[in-house]
Amino acid sequence: MSENHSQNFHSGEQYEEIVHNKLNDKQMRKNLKSAMGILKKNRKNTIANRYTNWEELRELGRKVKQNALANLPTLLENFERNATKNGFKVHWAKDSKEANEIILSLMQKNNANVILKGKSMASEEIGLNHYLKDNGINAIETDLGELIIQLIDEPPVHIVAPAIHKNRYEIGEIFKDKLNAPLESEPEKLNNIARTHLRKEFKDFRIGLSGVNFAIANEGAIWLIENEGNGRMSTTACDIHIAICGIEKIVESFEDASILDLLLVPSATGANISCYNNIIASPRQEGELDGPKEVHIILLDNNRSKILADSHYYRALSCIRCGTCLNHCPVYDKIGGHSYLSTYPGPIGEVISPQIFGLNNCAPMLNFCSLCERCSEVCPVKIPLASLIRDLRSEKAGEGRGGVVGYKETHRSSLEKNSFAVFTSFATSGFKWRLLITQVRIFGGLGKAFGGIIPGLKQWLSCRSYPALDASLHSKVKNLKGVIYE
Ligand code: SF4
C-alpha cells in the first residue's frame, strides 16, 4: 500500500538524503528522461499540428478557472443542489480525516471490505489506502500505473503517470514477483497480465471509488477522463460509486469543462482526445441495466478554502492536474517525484503541497526550483508557478505576506539576516555593486596569489577556480527588468 508522506513533517536532512539517493539512481533517471522526452515531444507536436491558436485557448482556460474560483461558494451550492436533484448524495469534508471517515462509514454500512479504485490523487492526498487498511478494508488500485506502484509499496512518482519511473522490463519483473506471472516485457503482454489480474477483482466488487476531473455546477454532473477503461469499470459495474472531488474542480458549465478538457489532454499525454470520457449525471435510473444504485460525491476542502481566501496564492487552485509542469521541469526529471516527499511533486507540488499540508512540513522542497520558468510557460491555465514558488520561499523565510497554512517562525540567525540585508543593499544599487566588484577583483586576485600557502584554503583552491564577477550584471538586470515589467 502506498505510503502517504504528506501528512508528516520532513526535515531538510530527510530531503537531502532522498535527493542524494535518487540522483544516484541512474536507471530511474534514464527512465524518467526518456518518458519525459516522449511526453514533451508528443505535446509539442499535437499543439503545433492540431491547434490553430493554442495561446488563445490557454487564455480562455485561465479565464474559465478564474471565473470558477471567483464564484466558488455559489458554484458549490449550485452543484450540491443540482447533484442532489439528480439523485447523488453530496458530502462535505473539511479535511482528510472527515473524508476518510465518510468513506469508511459507507463501507461499514454496506458490509464491504474491498473497494476498487480508479485513479484519484485526492485519495492519495487524504492517505485513504492506509486509513482503510488500518480499518480492515482492502483498497485495490485498478489504474495500471497505480497497480504497479501498489504492488511494490511505493507512492505515485507523478500526478498523471504514477509509475513512469519504471521501464517495461522492471514492470515485467514486478508482475513476475508479485503476481506470479510469466516474465514479459512487451507492453501488450504486460497489459494482458494486469487485465487478467484485475478482471478477477472486478468480477464481484460492490463499491468503486474515483476522482473527478470536472464537477459541473449547472448540471450537477461529474466528468472523469481516463485512458484505460478501469475508471468506467470502477464507476459503473459497482452498486455504490464514491467520487472524491477537491472543491476547486467545480466549473460553471459543460462549455467551461470542454475548454479545460481541450487543454488538459494534449498537455498531459500529447493525445488529441482521451480514450474514455465518463460524464456521470445520475445513479442508475429505473429500467437501466447498469450503473451504480448510489453515487456519493465527497467535496474535499483540506485547506483549499484557505488558499482561495489568499488574494495571491489562490491562483494555484486553477490547476487541472495535467502534469506538464512536471514533464518540463529540469529538476523533476533528475530527482523524480518521490524526492518531494509529498503527494504532489514537481512545480505544482511546490506550490500546493506547502499550502495543503503546511509550509513547515515540506518547506525544503521549495529549494528544488531553479526558477527557470519553463513550468509557467507550459501551464495550460497560465499559473505563474515560478513566481509563486519564489514567493513561498519568502514565506518560508518569514519575509512574505504571512498566513500560509502551517507556517511556524524558524530561527534565523542575526548573521544570516544581516548578511542578506547587506547583499540586498549592494545588489540594488549600481554604484555599490560596482564598488563591490572592484573589491572582489582586488581581493580575489590576492586570494589566488596567497591562498595556496594558507592552510585550509590550499586544498580548497587546488581543485577550484572561480570566474570573474561581471560588473555589468546590475545594468543587465535593470535592462531585463525593463523588458519584463515595462
Ligand atoms: S500547474 Fe499547470 S502545468 Fe502544472 S499540473 Fe497544474 S495545470 Fe498542469
Side-chain angles (χ1 to χ4, degrees):
M1 210 57 59
S2 61
E3 185 192 341
N4 188 322
H5 299 295
S6 308
Q7 311 301 311
N8 309 320
F9 167 80
H10 294 287
S11 65
E13 287 73 30
Q14 283 171 300
Y15 273 100
E16 254 175 50
E17 189 186 338
I18 191 159
V19 169
H20 181 77
N21 291 341
K22 296 298 172 188
L23 282 172
N24 283 313
D25 187 342
K26 289 198 179 114
Q27 188 61 59
M28 181 209 73
R29 289 180 58 175
K30 197 171 158 205
N31 296 347
L32 277 179
K33 193 166 182 237
S34 138
M36 298 298 119
I38 294 167
L39 287 169
K40 284 189 285 188
K41 192 167 145 225
N42 289 350
R43 172 191 171 275
K44 198 172 161 196
N45 289 343
T46 302
I47 290 172
N49 300 328
R50 308 284 300 200
Y51 288 76
T52 47
N53 202 334
W54 178 253
E55 287 308 314
E56 231 169 71
L57 189 62
R58 278 180 85 207
E59 181 56 20
L60 218 51
R62 187 189 70 77
K63 285 185 179 153
V64 163
K65 286 301 296 189
Q66 289 283 311
N67 176 54
L69 294 175
N71 298 298
L72 198 57
T74 312
L75 293 184
L76 280 163
E77 278 172 20
N78 291 350
F79 176 79
E80 183 183 30
R81 193 179 50 252
N82 292 329
T84 308
K85 235 187 270 168
N86 291 343
F88 294 135
K89 174 88 184 88
V90 177
H91 307 257
W92 297 84
K94 85 167 186 300
D95 54 21
S96 307
K97 185 171 171 286
E98 280 190 11
N100 282 327
E101 284 169 0
I102 293 165
I103 297 167
L104 179 64
S105 81
L106 288 168
M107 299 295 294
Q108 288 171 338
K109 203 170 114 201
N110 290 283
N111 292 321
N113 55 14
V114 177
I115 186 166
L116 260 59
K117 292 178 65 200
K119 191 173 175 313
S120 158
M121 287 309 290
S123 78
E124 299 285 346
E125 177 186 323
I126 62 173
L128 177 68
N129 290 7
H130 273 291
Y131 178 83
L132 291 180
K133 190 180 180 194
D134 290 346
N135 286 282
I137 290 168
N138 193 10
I140 298 172
E141 300 287 353
T142 64
D143 171 88
L144 180 58
E146 290 282 353
L147 169 69
I148 294 164
I149 55 165
Q150 186 174 40
L151 290 172
I152 52 174
D153 198 18
E154 282 188 6
V157 80
H158 188 284
I159 60 174
V160 173
I164 204 156
H165 59 312
K166 298 287 176 198
N167 66 28
R168 59 197 172 102
Y169 303 100
E170 292 168 303
I171 295 167
E173 293 283 352
I174 293 169
F175 283 175
K176 176 174 169 281
D177 289 352
K178 305 287 179 180
L179 301 178
N180 291 323
L183 184 62
E184 301 288 359
S185 59
E186 290 307 315
E188 213 168 286
K189 291 188 173 154
L190 294 171
N191 276 337
N192 270 337
I193 294 171
R195 187 180 295 123
T196 310
H197 169 72
L198 289 171
R199 284 279 161 172
K200 286 198 292 260
E201 308 289 354
F202 275 124
K203 216 165 132 238
D204 45 25
F205 80 116
R206 291 173 42 231
I207 302 194
L209 182 135
S210 74
V212 172
N213 288 96
F214 311 117
I216 300 145
N218 290 353
E219 310 287 339
I222 53 174
W223 185 337
L224 269 70
I225 297 167
E226 47 132 356
N227 282 313
E228 297 170 21
N230 68 303
R232 185 162 294 178
M233 288 285 281
S234 311
T235 57
T236 54
C238 52
D239 289 334
I240 298 168
H241 167 207
I242 304 169
I244 315 183
C245 175
I247 54 170
E248 83 282 16
K249 298 288 179 79
I250 300 271
V251 292
E252 191 172 340
S253 62
F254 266 128
E255 289 73 20
D256 284 356
S258 307
I259 289 165
L260 298 178
D261 177 57
L262 281 173
L263 288 160
L264 171 63
V265 180
S267 298
T269 60
N272 301 320
I273 187 169
S274 58
C275 299
Y276 294 85
N277 279 281
N278 306 299
I279 297 169
I280 303 171
S282 77
R284 189 192 303 187
Q285 299 288 290
E286 191 76 25
E288 286 181 350
L289 294 178
D290 52 24
K293 292 177 196 139
E294 288 175 32
V295 178
H296 296 262
I297 302 170
I298 300 171
L299 294 172
L300 175 70
D301 187 322
N302 218 20
N303 285 330
R304 285 166 173 78
S305 49
K306 287 195 183 127
I307 304 175
L308 185 67
D310 188 302
S311 61
H312 186 57
Y313 295 114
Y314 80 96
R315 287 177 284 184
L317 295 178
S318 292
C319 176
I320 53 173
R321 304 284 189 272
C322 72
T324 205
C325 55
L326 281 69
N327 305 346
H328 287 79
C329 175
V331 177
Y332 174 87
D333 73 354
K334 314 289 181 302
I335 62 174
H338 293 157
S339 294
Y340 293 77
L341 293 172
S342 169
T343 304
Y344 300 109
I348 185 59
E350 287 175 58
V351 175
I352 57 171
S353 295
Q355 300 191 76
I356 289 180
F357 302 116
L359 183 58
N360 277 51
N361 284 344
C362 38
M365 72 160 70
L366 291 164
N367 295 337
F368 291 177
C369 180
S370 68
L371 297 180
C372 73
E373 298 257 4
R374 261 204 235 171
C375 50
S376 318
E377 281 168 15
V378 294
C379 175
V381 284
K382 296 174 121 177
I383 302 174
L385 291 156
S387 330
L388 294 178
I389 293 169
R390 189 197 52 219
D391 295 341
L392 282 163
R393 283 184 185 170
S394 302
E395 305 290 345
K396 182 177 77 151
E399 305 280 343
R401 301 152 46 84
V404 173
V405 170
Y407 170 68
K408 284 190 210 92
E409 199 172 343
T410 45
H411 177 69
R412 292 175 73 211
S413 68
S414 46
L415 176 67
E416 187 190 340
K417 279 187 193 169
N418 294 336
S419 307
F420 274 105
V422 171
F423 179 76
T424 307
S425 96
F426 276 91
T428 51
S429 151
F431 170 73
K432 284 190 195 168
W433 183 258
R434 278 188 288 277
L435 189 74
L436 177 74
I437 296 303
T438 315
Q439 303 306 311
V440 167
R441 279 199 182 131
I442 294 168
F443 289 104
L446 289 177
K448 261 189 209 161
F450 297 107
I453 53 171
I454 299 171
L457 266 187
K458 191 178 173 188
Q459 203 183 356
W460 196 84
L461 285 170
S462 68
C463 55
R464 286 177 179 82
S465 61
Y466 52 94
L469 284 176
D470 188 349
S472 64
L473 178 67
H474 187 266
S475 54
K476 278 182 189 162
V477 170
K478 246 167 96 182
N479 293 339
L480 200 62
K481 265 174 111 179
V483 172
I484 296 171
Y485 299 115
E486 282 165 20

